[in-house]
Amino acid sequence: MAAEEQTVLLDAQNPWPGLAPYDETSSEFFNGRDADAEELLRLVRLAPLTTLYSKSGLGKSSLLQAGLFPRLRHEHYLPVYVRLDCSAQMEGSPLEQVACRFITELTACQADFPERKTGEGLWQYLHRRDLEIWSPDNHLLTPVLVFDQFEEVFSRGGSNPETVRRLCHELADLIENRIPAEIASGQDGRQAAAQLDLLSQRYRIILSFREDFLPDLKNWERDVPSLLKNWWQLKPMSREQAIEAVAQAGAAVLAPSAAAAIVDFVGNLDEARNEGDNTIEPVLLSLCCYQLNLRRQQQRHPTALIDVELLRDVGQDILQDFYTDALARMPGPVAKFIETHLIVGDRYRASYPVQLAMEKGFINAAQLAELTGRHRLLRVDQQLGTARIELIHDRLVGVVRQARDRRLARLQARRAIRTAVIIALAAIALGGFFSIWQWQVAKVHERIASDKAKWAEILEQQANPNALSIAQSALADSKRGADNTTAVPNGMSSQPQGLIYIQIRNDGQSNRAEEIRAVLKKSGFVVPGIETLTTGPTTTEVRYFRKADEGQATRIADLLKDKKVPNVVTKYIGRFEGSNRIRPGQVEIWFAPNAFQ
């Protein structure tokens, strides 16, 4: 079995588990998800298989253990929590792990059940004619096998594909109630079948997995036709749900109005801001509440409450520490990738294709699994059919921006010091006169002192996150200087406009695409970079996502035609019209394979 998540013992003074999931013992502190738990219970009653999926960080494990399990027990179901280990190092087949976990749970709840025979498989045991499981208070129990984080079968079982194949086959027999091949054929199988109730299905199964693994599950759907017929998608919390969850759990430690202030801080839902997410990531909410409570206990009298003043004093540090801790063991290129490719400017999240990030060496599979799993800093989202990496929430953009600015400031500092040393050495070697050398050294010292003050201002810039850093100004100035040789095309404004992503089909298109990118940047667009995707349309498409952006897309298409790009069309992708995921003015250019031939 895979190692279970670390859990935290909760009480009225410590009502939040931080990044750990809520377990069944802490169900009284798990709030805001009653409707989801009731719907899952209804689905379990309805069919043998229920699937639960969502993006990472939305609390599937907590919903199952703290929300659903108490409800299942009340209706005389027996939940059996399972996390499979398909690694080559694990002893025993995956379903043998499940069978052992099942027997352990039966023993722990003091149920009355028939003893499992040596070598008896899970399918055979669950279909025995004499299988009856009775609770200590004489209720007949129906087992529910809950496979949490089922995506780990695919993400961590890659080194052991035969084990994964066998698991999927055996689990399909359980889900669809098919007679296994070893029982359906042969004399020994027929004799064993005589002891079984082949048509009964006195159990339930729940599969819970991350949404970005839906394609992997769909590939399994041919063997398991009922796989996605009885399902529930867990969504982020609304503001109202989040306030309810915080206020009810933290009733003993929260000052009045603190719950709403915490939720708005986590969700960035102040009235002056209407971009980005309007929903709450539960993992960030729990982390923030947990850390605020720790600081309440460390810095104040134990009877003090969490109030708006405490949130104002330490709130930003919580997210900064979260980001720093997540990257503590990561190599420098991973942090640079996040700070360069996963935010745009100062206010917006961006996303980046998983495959391309790995091909370019920005991040590897193990690092991505660590940051999406244990640390939950990142998640993988399917966007227009492509798996893309993104920050878990808009609330982290400011934290990442500050880390980026500090990195750029340090880089500028090192460059300036190297330049100063070179000037000093050159003055000594070539000047020949003490007075000249003294004058040069004085100028160098003056420059270092001036720059140090500016770098210190950047590195200490916590109280004024909206100020433009010196490093950003220097970069912007250098870019403006480099672009002064490029004329603004007719019909295009020189004022800042929208956000443009460029996709090319092969590296041979890079040079021409860079020329077009330079023209677009000169025209005021934000163009983060150029991505290489091997699949795409047969004609060059300028895709826009809001009807209000049609005119802008047309002007961009005309620009491409002026640059001798053939067969350029505009394409409206309408399902994102009201989406917070794609900002107004965002456009994508998808070059055809023959765009520059």
Side-chain angles (χ1 to χ4, degrees), residues 54 303 384 435 515 529 576:
S54 78
T303 59
L384 300 179
S435 60
E515 293 175 5
F576 297 97

Side-chain angles (χ1 to χ4, degrees), residues 433-450:
F433 297 96
F434 178 77
S435 60
I436 297 176
W437 172 81
Q438 191 175 37
W439 176 79
Q440 293 280 9
V441 170
K443 296 297 289 183
V444 168
H445 283 208
E446 180 182 343
R447 178 177 177 182
I448 290 176
S450 174

Side-chain angles (χ1 to χ4, degrees), residues 337-570:
F337 163 67
I338 293 172
E339 294 160 12
T340 303
H341 295 286
L342 298 190
I343 64 173
V344 177
D346 291 346
R347 303 176 65 187
Y348 297 102
R349 272 189 298 173
S351 61
Y352 201 86
V354 173
Q355 181 180 352
L356 188 60
M358 292 185 179
E359 288 175 355
K360 289 183 175 292
F362 295 150
I363 194 169
N364 62 36
Q367 293 160 352
L368 182 59
E370 181 84 357
L371 292 176
T372 57
R374 186 162 72 90
H375 292 295
R376 300 180 183 180
L377 173 68
L378 307 178
R379 68 180 173 203
V380 177
D381 189 26
Q382 293 288 333
Q383 299 177 18
L384 300 179
T386 301
R388 302 177 73 96
I389 308 168
E390 65 180 10
L391 290 168
I392 196 171
H393 198 275
D394 278 348
R395 193 64 187 81
L396 291 168
V397 171
V399 175
V400 177
R401 181 194 67 232
Q402 290 180 1
R404 177 198 65 193
D405 292 348
R406 287 192 294 270
R407 175 174 57 82
L408 291 175
R410 289 191 295 268
L411 180 62
Q412 293 279 20
R414 287 194 295 268
R415 288 175 176 172
I417 291 172
R418 284 197 300 267
T419 301
V421 171
I422 291 171
I423 293 173
L425 292 174
I428 294 171
L430 301 176
F433 297 96
F434 178 77
S435 60
I436 297 176
W437 172 81
Q438 191 175 37
W439 176 79
Q440 293 280 9
V441 170
K443 296 297 289 183
V444 168
H445 283 208
E446 180 182 343
R447 178 177 177 182
I448 290 176
S450 174
D451 285 347
K452 275 186 176 180
K454 294 178 181 178
W455 305 327
E457 181 181 348
I458 293 171
L459 297 176
E460 296 297 328
Q461 186 183 312
Q462 295 293 332
N464 186 15
N466 294 320
L468 184 64
S469 72
I470 297 169
Q472 288 174 287
S473 298
L475 288 176
D477 290 342
S478 64
K479 289 179 180 178
R480 283 193 292 270
D483 288 343
N484 278 340
T485 57
T486 306
V488 180
N490 292 333
M492 302 293 287
S493 170
S494 61
Q495 298 300 317
Q497 300 184 62
L499 172 67
I500 300 179
Y501 289 106
I502 297 179
Q503 281 84 20
I504 59 176
R505 302 298 282 278
N506 55 69
D507 292 339
Q509 296 180 333
S510 297
N511 291 339
R512 290 291 308 280
E514 282 289 358
E515 293 175 5
I516 291 173
R517 180 188 178 210
V519 173
L520 291 169
K521 290 174 66 178
K522 181 61 178 178
S523 303
F525 289 100
V526 176
V527 192
I530 296 175
E531 301 171 3
T532 304
L533 299 178
T534 57
T535 59
T538 56
T539 60
T540 296
E541 294 182 359
V542 179
R543 298 180 178 179
Y544 61 101
F545 306 92
R546 288 175 170 80
K547 290 185 178 180
D549 297 329
E550 181 179 4
Q552 180 169 271
T554 301
R555 291 194 298 273
I556 295 171
D558 291 340
L559 182 149
L560 296 180
K561 293 173 184 177
D562 290 342
K563 294 296 180 180
K564 309 303 182 185
V565 178
N567 301 321
V568 181
V569 299
T570 60

Side-chain angles (χ1 to χ4, degrees), residues 11 66 87 96 152 184 213 220 229 246 325 342 365 429 461 465 525 592:
D11 56 37
S87 65
E96 179 61 23
E152 293 177 346
F213 281 83
W220 191 36
K229 291 182 178 178
V246 173
D325 291 344
L342 298 190
Q461 186 183 312
F525 289 100

Side-chain angles (χ1 to χ4, degrees), residues 219-268:
N219 290 336
W220 191 36
E221 195 171 11
R222 184 177 61 179
D223 295 329
V224 189
S226 60
L227 184 62
L228 295 176
K229 291 182 178 178
N230 199 49
W231 56 270
W232 185 246
Q233 181 185 17
L234 184 62
K235 302 285 184 66
M237 280 184 167
S238 67
R239 182 177 185 272
E240 292 73 20
Q241 285 178 305
I243 293 174
E244 173 193 349
V246 173
Q248 291 185 3
V253 297
L254 287 171
S257 76
I262 292 170
V263 169
D264 288 346
F265 169 78
V266 173
N268 238 7

